[in-house]
Amino acid sequence: MTGDELGAAVARMYSAADPPPPHLLAAASALLSWRDPDAELAALVVDSAVAGEAAGIRSGSDSPRMLSFALGDVVLDVELVVDDGTVRLVGQVSAPEVAPIQVRHREGTWTGATDELGRFAVSGVPDGPLRITWGDPPVSSPTIMP
């Protein structure tokens, strides 16, 4: 049995014995529709939720989460706060210019622009997966789970 055949057999076994819940399949399919084929994908370079745990620092659920995404020389820094079922984002793009920005979330898309210093703020985003796309040509963050 080849490695591909073994992998297919294991996948069939898990599909029969422990299939993924339908709501997770629906959520994964919905996230695919958020992809912008024209946008380059930025890399997550810092996530305070992970960095804090690695350093032995505990952060409460009410603490802001700091995220940084990079593509080449352009960096997007975002502070993310979840409060009472909504998400507030405050961020800055390292390229100081007015540029389009979108925050896609489960209920739609917030559209705006950065200011002349590359800053933006969004509040009232429903808690759940989101993706930030900015600039022209567009750059997109991976999907963020607050």
Side-chain angles (χ1 to χ4, degrees):
M1 182 177 274
T2 68
D4 289 340
E5 293 170 334
L6 178 60
V10 170
R12 283 191 306 275
M13 181 204 59
Y14 276 113
S15 292
D18 188 21
H23 72 279
L24 288 181
L25 289 175
S29 293
L31 289 177
L32 289 176
S33 69
W34 288 7
R35 291 185 311 164
D36 180 349
D38 296 328
E40 290 195 62
L41 186 62
L44 174 65
V45 292
V46 174
D47 183 346
S48 66
V50 175
E53 288 177 13
I57 300 169
R58 292 177 44 174
S59 60
S61 60
D62 58 344
S63 298
R65 181 174 168 197
M66 303 302 294
L67 301 159
S68 290
F69 303 95
L71 181 66
D73 293 338
V74 178
V75 176
L76 169 68
D77 293 315
V78 179
E79 178 184 271
L80 183 145
V81 176
V82 179
D83 184 31
D84 198 28
T86 63
V87 177
R88 178 174 48 89
L89 302 163
V90 177
Q92 184 168 10
V93 180
S94 64
E97 63 183 5
V98 175
I101 189 159
Q102 291 184 336
V103 178
R104 294 178 189 217
H105 52 84
R106 65 181 177 183
E107 294 180 12
T109 302
W110 175 90
T111 302
T114 59
D115 68 10
E116 62 279 352
L117 298 176
R119 302 174 299 190
F120 68 95
V122 183
S123 59
V125 174
D127 191 7
L130 57 94
R131 178 174 283 197
I132 304 168
T133 303
W134 70 95
D136 189 21
V139 176
S140 182
S141 73
T143 300
I144 302 164
M145 299 299 289

